[in-house]
Amino acid sequence: MKHLVAHILILSILSFQFSELLIFLSFKINQDYIAKNLCAEKNVEGSTCKGCCQLKKKLDEQEQQKEALPPVQTGKIDITFNTPEQNPRINYYPGQSLLPIYGVEEYTFSFLFRIFHPPRIE
C-alpha cells in the first residue's frame, strides 16, 4: 500500500513538471479525433491546421496556470549570530573567558579505576 501511494505521489509531481509533454503526447495520440471534431478550421478547405489550434490553446492554458503559481524563493537569507559585542546583556571584557570554569580541581576520575561488579540476583 505504501509503495502504491508513493508511486501515485511521484507520478502526480512529475505530471505537473512535464505537463507540456503530456499535453503534446495526448494531442499526438488523439490528433485525428481533434482534427475532425474540435478543430476551429475543420470546415475550411485546404486548411493545414490539423488540430494544432487546439494544441496551442491547451499549451496557453497550461502556461497561464503555471504563471498563477507563487514564485519560488531562491534568494539567500542572512543569518546573524549574537556575539558578545552585539548582545548588551552579556558582560564580556577582553581577556575574560567566555565560559567560566568552576571547580576544575573538584573533578575526580577515581571511578574509572574501580572494577565493575554486576548486581547480584538472589
Side-chain angles (χ1 to χ4, degrees), residues 40-48:
E41 299 179 10
K42 65 182 176 183
N43 296 330
V44 177
E45 292 292 327
S47 174
T48 59

Side-chain angles (χ1 to χ4, degrees), residues 35-109:
K36 288 179 187 175
N37 299 324
L38 301 176
C39 184
E41 299 179 10
K42 65 182 176 183
N43 296 330
V44 177
E45 292 292 327
S47 174
T48 59
C49 179
K50 297 181 184 174
C52 290
C53 57
Q54 292 295 318
L55 174 65
K56 184 177 180 189
K57 185 165 75 169
K58 290 286 184 183
L59 289 175
D60 288 341
E61 289 174 5
Q62 182 64 28
E63 188 66 31
Q64 289 175 356
Q65 285 179 355
K66 282 192 174 183
E67 286 176 359
L69 293 175
V72 177
Q73 220 178 19
T74 58
K76 291 183 179 180
I77 299 173
D78 286 338
I79 298 175
T80 57
F81 296 102
N82 284 335
T83 59
E85 293 84 19
Q86 293 173 345
N87 194 344
R89 293 181 297 170
I90 297 175
N91 295 327
Y92 174 74
Y93 302 103
Q96 178 186 2
S97 174
L98 287 178
L99 298 173
I101 300 172
Y102 296 108
V104 173
E105 62 277 347
E106 294 176 11
Y107 289 115
T108 179
F109 297 99

